[in-house]
Amino acid sequence: MRRILVTGANGQIGKVLVAELRRVYGRDSVLATDIKKSAENNEPYEFLDILNENRLYEIVHDHKITEIYHLAAILSAHGEWNPLKTWNINLNGLLTILELAKKKDIQKVFFPSTIAVFGKTTPQVNTPQDVPLLPETVYGMSKVTGELWCNYYHKKYGVDVRSVRYPGIIGYQSIPHGGTTDYAVEIFHEIIKNNVYTCFLDGDTRLPMMYMPDAVDATIKLMQADAAAIQTRSSYNLSAMSFSPRELFTEIKKYFPESEIAYDPDFRQEIAAAWSESIDDSRAHKEWKWKPSYDLARMTQDMIENIKKLY
Ligand code: SER
């Protein structure tokens, strides 16, 4: 019997992933955990600080957990405000979970990595899978190291751990905090409410992005794939679309012709400038049949339709 635990379940991806996992596997098969309780009903739920190793062990045993989707982390921008705390949270939770898997207390682990693993020495256009990784944010450093630990636990102990490098994720279900790609969600809310948005990135900074349904679909597909198909045990490149703030605004303006944008780059511009523009994710296509459904136009239309309902 499959019993899933999701850490960071109230985060941007967690909320939507938990709902979809419950739709697929049944409500009681998916335990949401977080250090915050969500306003919505997200039962079954347990409070969990990912650094509390004993509590994590207890929850895994009490709920007879078989799989963990380990989403709890501090993102790129907030990570720079508190580097050591970020390192601690982003890495030590993962190591506890990998140890549980090594002891066969759980059977499968999902670890989200990110485009933040790339750095100034990485080719930026159509970035291949195996490239130099020299990130300069603590978030990126912690995720590269996490990927290496995943690969190590798989090769050395046979742990079934799977991972993707998420691009910036866009969804209407929540407003993300702490990331560098957050502008691509904020812009929709601000333009729908006020017809104007001031972007914290420069207009021409192209980044890889993905609409939430594709991110959730990729995650579940990867976890459902035959173990033999998963040849990459560090983390898979993953991609759907790439655009700059200017290109996104041009698309949104088709729906709001009166809207305006201004650019006022802050410290996040430097973070974004070191990341890739576009990603070669052919290995994910080949090994576990990944295929995105949303491009810029379709994503924009769906975001607008859904965010309009909120205001
Ligand atoms: N969305 C993340 C961030 O901006 C990237 O993984 O930090």
Side-chain angles (χ1 to χ4, degrees), residues 75-77 114-116 139 166-169 178-182 275:
L75 294 184
S76 59
T114 160
I115 51 168
Y139 174 63
Y166 285 131
I169 305 296
T180 300
T181 57
D182 295 358
W275 292 354

Side-chain angles (χ1 to χ4, degrees), residues 124-137:
Q124 284 196 319
V125 177
N126 223 9
T127 303
Q129 175 73 40
D130 295 316
V131 284
L133 300 175
L134 203 62
E136 291 179 8
T137 60

Side-chain angles (χ1 to χ4, degrees), residues 91-103:
L91 216 40
N92 289 331
L94 172 66
L95 289 175
T96 309
I97 290 169
L98 290 174
E99 274 297 301
L100 275 164
K102 174 183 158 189
K103 290 193 261 170

Side-chain angles (χ1 to χ4, degrees), residues 108-112 160-164 221-228 230 232-234:
K108 233 188 236 186
V109 179
F110 174 75
F111 172 67
D160 190 354
V161 54
R162 306 170 183 207
S163 173
V164 290
K221 260 208 183 83
L222 173 70
M223 290 297 273
Q224 286 177 337
D226 262 8
I230 309 300
T232 302
R233 294 297 184 153
S234 50

